[in-house]
Amino acid sequence: QVQLVDSGGGLVQAGGSLRLSCAASGRTFSNYCMGWFRQAPGKEREFVGAINGIWGGASTYYADSVKGRFTISRDNAKNTVWLQMNSLKPEDTAIYYCAARYSGSGYYTTQASYAYWGQGTQVTVSS
C-alpha cells in the first residue's frame, strides 16, 4: 500500500513557475513509476508526465502540451517526486494529481495504469 500527498500548488502569473511535490509512504518507492495528471474544470483528467522507477532507469516522458516546459524528478531516499512547471500558461490551470504504480519500465499514460493517487493540489495561472 502506498499513500501519496500532493503539495505545492498555488496562484501564479502566466510565464511563471511552480514546483509541485508528492511525498510517498512505503519502503519500495524506488520501484514505483510515478505519474502526474491534471484535471481542469469541465474536462477529463489528463496525463501530464511520468518518471519510471529504477527498473526503468528513471526515464521520463511527457504529454506534448507540457514537453519542454515541465520536468519530473525524484529522490528515492526522500520518497518524493517533483513536477517543476515553467513558462506556465492559463491553460495549465487545473488540479494536479500524482499517482503511483508498482512497475518495471514502460509508458503509463492512462489513469487505469495507476493504483494509487494523491489528493490533488490546485494550480491556477492568471493571464
Side-chain angles (χ1 to χ4, degrees), residues 7-13 17-21 85 88-89 92-96 120-126:
S7 63
L11 174 65
V12 63
Q13 288 188 332
S17 298
L18 276 176
R19 188 175 79 157
L20 307 184
S21 299
M85 305 184 294
L88 282 161
K89 305 175 182 179
D92 294 318
T93 295
I95 300 174
Y96 283 71
T121 184
Q122 175 72 48
V123 172
T124 303
V125 184
S126 62

Side-chain angles (χ1 to χ4, degrees), residues 52-93:
N52 276 316
I54 55 173
W55 297 329
S59 56
T60 56
Y61 43 100
Y62 303 92
D64 287 343
S65 59
V66 306
K67 201 171 294 182
R69 298 189 297 123
F70 290 11
T71 303
I72 298 173
S73 59
R74 67 190 298 160
D75 184 332
N76 293 328
K78 296 181 178 179
N79 279 19
T80 301
V81 63
W82 295 276
L83 176 65
Q84 177 67 44
M85 305 184 294
N86 299 328
S87 302
L88 282 161
K89 305 175 182 179
E91 52 263 43
D92 294 318
T93 295

